[in-house]
């Protein structure tokens, strides 16, 4: 291996993020950037890193897909008994991060997490392909299993049990992160990147520039 990892570096020069050009409302700014990421056809623009902290105070991260966003917050779906589910049950504060590499952009979002309503979770669950709905039953997410055969056997079992109409498992559904802090990062030349942070103060968003 001749590559020296310490010599890998890139200059970010594609765009800028100014106070004048950014939206006063972080949700509108996020909407703009997410749509630009989708239009630019970046791979998996809807993939975000979710960080949680367990009651042992150890942070953990994983990637989930954003499935909705509006003034109430950012929604994703998962298994409530997974590691992330257990950690959120003990500590509802979490952070999300998008990295749109080709656009040299990052969005970080922090806040408190709540469950989506049963109606919302049902509506999304029933919009999923059949194998994904069976998969939600078949996978005891984050548990140790003997081997892949366990998943295959579970999928066959639940497929036969529910046929074409699996109900939503009680342990599966949505979470909504209610943001109180957003950060938008645009890579710039010479490491003088643009960073705008929005934080809630008395119900209003305060926009501030952070040093890169
Ligand atoms: C691109 C991508 C998207 C993913 N989306 C989800 C998702 O929406 N929900 C989910 O539960 N897991 C998703 N996963 C799997 C998670 O990253 C993770 O492996 C799983 O949720 C278990 O995490 P945990 O043990 O920390 O709870 C995704 C993985 C990738 C790579």
């Amino acid at each position: 291996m001749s590559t020296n990892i310490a010599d890998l570096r890139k200059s970010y020069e594609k765009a800028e993020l100014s106070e004048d050009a950014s939206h006063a409302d972080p949700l509108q700014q996020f909407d703009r950037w997410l749509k630009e990421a989708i239009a630019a056809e970046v791979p998996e623009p809807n993939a975000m890193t979710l960080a949680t902290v367990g009651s042992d105070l150890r942070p953990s991260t994983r990637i989930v897909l954003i499935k909705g966003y509006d003034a109430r917050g950012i929604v994703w779906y998962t298994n409530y008994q997974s590691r992330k589910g257990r950690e959120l049950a003990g500590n509802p504060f979490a952070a999300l991060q998008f990295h749109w590499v080709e656009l040299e952009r990052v969005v970080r979002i922090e806040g408190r997490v709540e469950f989506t309503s049963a109606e919302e979770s049902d509506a999304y669950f029933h919009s999923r392909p059949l194998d994904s709905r069976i998969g939600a039953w078949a996978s005891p997410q984050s548990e140790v299993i003997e081997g892949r055969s366990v998943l295959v056997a579970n999928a066959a079992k639940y497929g036969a049990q529910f046929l074409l109409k699996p109900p939503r498992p009680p342990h599966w559904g949505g979470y909504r992160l209610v943001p109180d802090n957003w950060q938008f990062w645009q890579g710039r030349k010479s490491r003088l990147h643009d960073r705008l942070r929005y934080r809630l103060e008395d119900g209003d968003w305060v926009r501030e520039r952070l040093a890169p």
Side-chain angles (χ1 to χ4, degrees):
M1 287 284 280
S2 59
T3 310
N4 183 351
I5 196 82
D7 288 338
L8 286 181
R9 54 177 66 84
K10 179 181 164 199
S11 182
Y12 303 113
E13 308 189 0
K14 289 203 169 135
E16 54 184 67
L17 178 65
S18 68
E19 287 80 351
D20 286 347
S22 63
H23 212 290
D25 175 1
L27 179 67
Q28 298 299 326
Q29 181 62 31
F30 174 72
D31 180 59
R32 181 185 296 166
W33 271 21
L34 178 59
K35 285 176 176 157
E36 288 177 6
I38 294 167
E41 299 185 355
V42 313
E44 307 215 54
N46 52 342
M48 54 186 184
T49 299
L50 162 67
T52 55
V53 177
S55 45
D56 56 2
L57 302 185
R58 290 177 66 125
S60 66
T61 67
R62 76 288 294 152
I63 295 175
V64 294
L65 296 178
I66 185 172
K67 290 294 170 182
Y69 61 101
D70 58 23
R72 294 171 299 167
I74 311 278
V75 171
W76 67 93
Y77 290 90
T78 193
N79 185 316
Y80 290 141
Q81 294 168 349
S82 63
R83 178 173 177 185
K84 69 182 99 46
R86 291 195 302 268
E87 294 188 351
L88 286 168
N91 172 7
F93 293 99
L96 296 167
Q97 178 160 248
F98 292 84
H99 185 193
W100 295 309
V101 177
E102 292 81 351
L103 298 178
E104 302 173 348
R105 285 177 175 169
V106 172
V107 178
R108 296 162 55 169
I109 314 166
E110 296 170 25
R112 194 184 173 94
V113 176
E114 56 189 35
F115 294 109
T116 57
S117 68
E119 293 72 27
E120 254 181 299
S121 294
D122 283 341
Y124 176 66
F125 182 78
H126 292 293
S127 76
R128 302 176 85 209
L130 180 61
D131 60 344
S132 305
R133 281 177 281 151
I134 294 294
W137 282 98
S139 170
Q141 194 176 57
S142 316
E143 297 300 319
V144 174
I145 51 174
E146 287 292 316
R148 210 180 152 76
S149 58
V150 173
L151 299 178
V152 176
N154 279 352
K157 178 178 115 183
Y158 289 112
Q161 182 178 334
F162 296 128
L163 300 175
L164 296 177
K165 287 193 186 309
R168 177 172 63 89
H171 56 265
W172 193 98
Y175 286 107
R176 173 177 284 110
L177 181 140
V178 181
D180 56 23
N181 199 304
W182 298 73
Q183 261 192 60
F184 296 85
W185 183 98
Q186 176 75 61
R188 299 290 305 275
K189 240 178 125 170
S190 310
R191 300 297 184 253
L192 300 180
H193 314 301
D194 289 327
R195 289 177 77 189
L196 294 184
R197 179 182 68 188
Y198 298 70
R199 63 179 169 83
L200 262 187
E201 196 174 277
D202 301 328
D204 290 322
W205 289 108
V206 177
R207 183 178 44 195
E208 294 160 319
R209 179 170 288 262
L210 300 184

